[in-house]
Amino acid sequence: MEEVPLDTPSQKPSLSDVLYQDLRLAVRGEAHRRGDPSFLEYSQMFNGDVKVPALAVVCPLDAQDVSQVILFCTKHSFSASIKAGGYGTAGWAVGGDIIIDLCNINDIDIESPAADGSFTSIKDMPLVGSKGKVRAGLPLIDRPAGASSAKRRREEDEELPTYDLASENVANFLHPGGPSAPFADRPPVTRRRLDDFSALITDIPQMPTDSAMPATSSDPNISTLLSFGPLGSSMAMVSSPSLASPYTTRTDVVATTVTPHSPVSDTMLSDPFSYLDDTPSISAPPVASTSRLAQSMPNALFATPSFLESSTNILTYATPIYSHAFMTFGAGKRQKEIDKFSAANPLEAVSLAGGRGAVPYHIPSAAHPVGSAIMILGGFGFLGRLHGLSTDNLVEAEVVLADGQIVTVSQNEHPDLLWALRGAGPAFGVVTRYKARAYPVPVVFAGNLIYRFHRATAPSLIKHFRDCVKGAPRELYANVLLTAGPAGQDSLVVIQMCYVGPKVKGQEFLQAISSWDGERCLLNEVDEKSFLHQQDSVAQVLRGKVGNKWFIRSALISSLPDDIVNKTVLQFADTPVGCTWLFELAGGALLDFEDNCIPKAQRQASFNVAALHQWDIDFEDPRCVHSAEEWIAETLAPVTVGGPLPSFLGRQEPPGRVIACYGENWPRLCEVKKKYDPDNFFRNSFWPLNAGGDIVEPEEHEPQHIRF
């Protein structure tokens, strides 16, 4: 394909002044036409390979605004696409004439279940700034009135690209020289100091932190550094000193004096959400907890956001009172923002001493960074084996339909649409607010074991991992990642485990996995930590870079036989820099849910598998695409079960693979589509059919790619 600059105007006529004025008058939110300074900011995608054809972008404030945009598009024969903060590598989110960016619909709330297990309906919960009904749960995080939404969004985004709180040991391992080291791509980490912390906690029993157990390494002078050169993620051999002492006391528990952030360096662009920051800036202070419970506890220590969000804290060892809670949030909330809110707004629990305590409740989701659409496309992550997919925990949604009608969807209202939303949502409407189950996660025993990749020994390690996790309890999530380095330099094998519970219960699984002795383990930093920080762990290892070209392929497999492992390792050894292959243990609670469109056959898979490829926008190597296609479509074919989880659908997906995501449920899904979107208004999505029900090829419903 001919190279085209990102800001090349659409071939369609531009939005006339009259139409633009009509659009602006129709909504209370912002509207930006192509050519406006803010247009590129709101239309930019994580995948730098997407050509944006849109004429304008609108940032609605609520469902009523979304309805007006849909009616405007219908009246003037414009197509619409929906942008909700995710990575969206296929580009469907910006493929329409009018982009509906949901970033300003970002209210959030949490409530404990009523005595009968019920919840307050979304339609009975006021939005931020509205008057009347009392909200059901804890207060929302209010925002200053009158501030520009674009400016406010940038301020809120400043801390999102930082993933090194997942593990300081991994950060030091991957970047031993710190931010100034060659190829270092991580932003500076703020270290909060407490002058005399011991004086504040003399009557609090001492609890382990993630530095209480040393991160182990068999090589005190580790020389491997995962770095990011001009071709994306790469591997370089850099001589480095020993890791900092693992016994160093943590000082990020309570903020009494805070060392100012250094200006964010250009290398922050190596992180997924950095495209939301347009200029280097000083990070804003943490938003204080809005939890009345936390604020009411006797010691002010418990009300500080730095304490609630620290990797471990005394609250995480309390016993929860409720088996689950309900979170309501706007479609503009990204998962990391939701997890931060969860950490800062724990619900009541019983402390170790039998007194008053608190525990954070989290929604099952994929690891950071993902947007809210994960709730209607699958969503498998660290809590998935214990509590199911994100879609399985969606209990209600506020939805704008293709005709502009605003409906509340639940088991009692439009149950057929709820069934379809749980796995195929983007093809059926615009979800503006979600209500989902959240579960108590006092503490997780989690982290990484990192090895060098050698084609001679990697098969043995993967088979050892497979055998160790066979029959694992639902509380254990585990994956193995193969991450490619540049030619002639080392790649890595990373095993990640997350036991939802304390170290005393998860230690046996770590011991089993780490018992493999075929290669030296470069780093073992598995320890107790907060779930909030564990959610950053995948992004910390992958270091996805905005503006790179991205290609994703995925599959669900029934087993992982030796011959598949052997072939996988041989193929991976020849992949170019920036390629990551993932095996993650599936099963568990995924089998418990049937009231959605993701079929039983897929839920019975043993592993979820994905090829996550990124490479520099100017780098041309057909292997970046072909190696993923060959591995997924050919090597794994004998053990593949149907199609992938819908949340892993990427660009240029063959229609047959999309249909296979839904298996036996596809005919029913088509019937629901005819009922709620007969004219296929929401065609800028994964949906592979036109309004007449005929199959369309990917290029007919996704934007062009600058270089594919």
Side-chain angles (χ1 to χ4, degrees):
M1 181 178 294
E2 181 181 356
E3 296 185 7
V4 183
L6 277 172
D7 57 353
T8 297
S10 168
Q11 297 302 310
K12 297 184 179 182
S14 61
L15 198 64
S16 69
D17 292 341
V18 173
L19 289 179
Y20 181 47
Q21 186 65 16
D22 287 347
L23 178 61
R24 294 183 64 185
L25 292 175
V27 298
R28 294 185 300 117
E30 302 172 34
H32 305 282
R33 185 167 45 175
R34 179 177 286 277
D36 291 352
S38 295
F39 177 83
L40 283 178
E41 176 182 351
Y42 283 107
S43 63
Q44 189 173 9
M45 292 295 293
F46 183 61
N47 183 7
D49 201 24
V50 176
K51 177 183 177 183
V52 179
L55 306 177
V57 58
V58 183
C59 303
L61 297 183
D62 52 26
Q64 186 61 42
D65 268 5
V66 173
S67 175
Q68 291 300 312
V69 178
I70 289 176
L71 294 175
F72 172 87
C73 290
T74 301
K75 177 180 179 181
H76 299 289
S77 300
F78 289 128
S79 66
S81 56
I82 316 303
K83 193 167 183 278
Y87 49 85
T89 57
W92 295 307
V94 294
D97 300 320
I98 306 295
I99 299 170
I100 302 176
D101 188 334
L102 303 176
C103 66
N104 287 335
I105 306 178
N106 51 22
D107 53 312
I108 186 168
D109 196 9
I110 185 170
E111 61 178 301
S112 57
D116 61 357
S118 63
F119 53 82
T120 305
S121 175
I122 289 176
K123 57 190 174 185
D124 295 325
M125 300 179 68
L127 293 169
V128 171
S130 62
K131 299 179 180 179
K133 301 172 183 176
V134 178
R135 61 180 100 255
L138 302 172
L140 307 180
I141 296 177
D142 294 323
R143 294 166 178 79
S148 159
S149 65
K151 179 178 181 294
R152 183 173 64 232
R153 192 63 168 174
R154 287 194 296 272
E155 291 171 349
E156 292 170 352
D157 289 336
E158 285 172 356
E159 292 189 354
L160 286 185
T162 302
Y163 300 103
D164 283 334
L165 289 179
S167 171
E168 185 174 350
N169 289 317
V170 171
N172 290 336
F173 170 75
L174 298 179
H175 309 287
S180 61
F183 309 114
D185 68 327
R186 62 187 176 114
V189 177
T190 297
R191 294 181 179 274
R192 299 179 177 89
R193 299 184 58 189
L194 181 66
D195 293 332
D196 189 7
F197 179 66
S198 59
L200 290 177
I201 58 171
T202 51
D203 6 348
I204 298 176
Q206 295 301 305
M207 291 295 161
T209 69
D210 62 353
S211 61
M213 180 180 111
T216 60
S217 170
S218 57
D219 184 352
N221 294 295
I222 296 172
S223 59
T224 302
L225 169 67
L226 185 64
S227 59
F228 295 79
L231 301 183
S233 63
S234 63
M235 187 68 63
M237 299 302 294
V238 180
S239 178
S240 66
S242 302
L243 292 175
S245 170
Y247 295 97
T248 301
T249 303
R250 292 185 61 90
T251 57
D252 60 349
V253 182
V254 179
T256 56
T257 61
V258 179
T259 303
H261 279 276
S262 301
V264 179
S265 65
D266 293 340
T267 54
M268 184 179 283
L269 291 177
S270 297
D271 284 310
F273 281 131
S274 59
Y275 66 92
L276 297 165
D277 302 324
D278 58 351
T279 56
S281 58
I282 303 300
S283 294
V287 177
S289 170
T290 61
S291 170
R292 286 191 288 263
L293 170 65
Q295 292 171 348
S296 68
M297 297 182 76
N299 195 328
L301 166 70
F302 296 105
T304 62
S306 57
F307 182 71
L308 290 167
E309 295 178 8
S310 62
S311 59
T312 55
N313 60 63
I314 191 71
L315 301 186
T316 64
Y317 294 91
T319 301
I321 293 176
Y322 311 104
S323 63
H324 64 276
F326 296 100
M327 291 194 70
T328 307
F329 55 94
K333 281 292 184 190
R334 280 74 56 89
Q335 186 58 43
K336 185 164 184 176
E337 294 172 306
I338 295 170
D339 283 331
K340 286 170 70 70
F341 178 87
S342 295
N345 292 273
L347 296 184
E348 187 172 5
V350 178
S351 72
L352 285 176
R356 196 178 186 193
V359 165
Y361 283 63
H362 290 272
I363 296 172
S365 174
H368 303 156
V370 292
S372 64
I374 202 74
M375 297 300 305
I376 51 176
L377 280 170
F380 180 60
F382 296 120
L383 300 181
R385 283 177 40 79
L386 184 58
H387 297 300
L389 302 172
S390 300
T391 55
D392 297 331
N393 289 284
L394 178 66
V395 298
E396 191 177 72
E398 178 183 73
V399 185
V400 185
L401 303 178
D403 61 1
Q405 183 182 1
I406 302 171
V407 297
T408 301
V409 178
S410 67
Q411 290 285 17
N412 299 321
E413 301 178 74
H414 309 284
D416 56 342
L417 182 54
L418 179 65
W419 176 87
L421 287 179
R422 289 171 167 168
F428 290 84
V430 182
V431 178
T432 51
R433 287 199 286 173
Y434 299 86
K435 184 178 285 287
R437 284 185 293 267
Y439 299 91
V441 188
V443 67
V444 295
F445 180 64
N448 302 274
L449 294 93
I450 301 178
Y451 303 83
R452 287 190 179 92
F453 172 86
H454 291 152
R455 72 173 69 194
T457 57
S460 172
L461 176 55
I462 297 172
K463 294 169 189 176
H464 172 78
F465 166 83
R466 174 200 63 193
D467 296 339
C468 286
V469 300
K470 184 178 181 180
R474 293 184 173 200
E475 289 82 2
L476 180 67
Y477 166 95
N479 73 44
V480 58
L481 292 152
L482 309 179
T483 301
Q489 297 180 10
D490 285 344
S491 299
L492 290 181
V493 181
V494 181
I495 293 177
Q496 295 188 319
M497 64 165 283
C498 177
Y499 183 85
V500 185
K503 172 183 174 181
V504 66
K505 293 185 177 181
Q507 181 69 37
E508 63 178 297
F509 305 105
L510 172 62
Q511 290 174 345
I513 294 172
S514 62
S515 66
W516 183 74
D517 58 2
E519 283 282 345
R520 183 176 66 242
C521 181
L522 301 176
L523 180 69
N524 174 358
E525 56 81 47
V526 179
D527 203 350
E528 289 184 337
K529 59 186 68 174
S530 75
F531 184 72
L532 169 65
H533 290 154
Q534 175 59 19
Q535 279 283 72
D536 280 342
S537 63
V538 175
Q540 184 182 38
V541 172
L542 293 183
R543 287 292 172 172
K545 182 180 179 182
V546 64
N548 273 355
K549 287 184 279 191
W550 280 83
F551 188 81
I552 295 176
R553 281 291 182 266
S554 180
L556 292 162
I557 60 176
S558 59
S559 61
L560 189 54
D562 288 355
D563 62 326
I564 296 293
V565 173
N566 296 336
K567 292 177 182 177
T568 292
V569 169
L570 290 176
Q571 285 181 271
F572 181 79
D574 293 328
T575 56
V577 58
C579 296
T580 297
W581 290 4
L582 164 75
F583 293 94
E584 58 182 348
L585 182 65
L590 270 63
L591 297 169
D592 296 346
F593 299 88
E594 296 182 355
D595 53 350
N596 59 59
C597 61
I598 298 176
K600 185 176 181 180
Q602 266 88 324
R603 293 175 176 274
Q604 293 175 329
S606 297
F607 291 91
N608 179 47
V609 180
L612 310 169
H613 290 195
Q614 62 164 322
W615 62 102
D616 190 87
I617 196 72
D618 295 318
F619 180 57
E620 299 293 342
D621 189 337
R623 293 179 301 161
C624 296
V625 172
H626 296 162
S627 60
E629 294 277 29
E630 291 170 4
W631 181 50
I632 296 293
E634 298 177 15
T635 304
L636 299 179
V639 291
T640 296
V641 179
L645 289 172
S647 51
F648 280 94
L649 289 172
R651 69 188 199 184
Q652 299 290 309
E653 288 281 7
R657 273 176 51 83
V658 177
I659 294 172
C661 289
Y662 305 100
E664 61 189 17
N665 291 333
W666 179 251
R668 180 183 174 188
L669 201 60
C670 291
E671 290 301 315
V672 180
K673 176 74 170 177
K674 290 177 184 177
K675 176 180 177 180
Y676 288 98
D677 187 16
D679 298 323
N680 197 27
F681 179 83
F682 299 110
R683 57 187 174 274
N684 290 303
S685 66
F686 67 86
W687 192 255
L689 307 181
N690 60 21
D694 302 318
I695 289 179
V696 295
E697 295 304 316
E699 56 268 19
E700 296 184 49
H701 65 105
E702 69 178 63
Q704 294 180 339
H705 299 279
I706 300 168
R707 306 175 181 90
F708 184 75

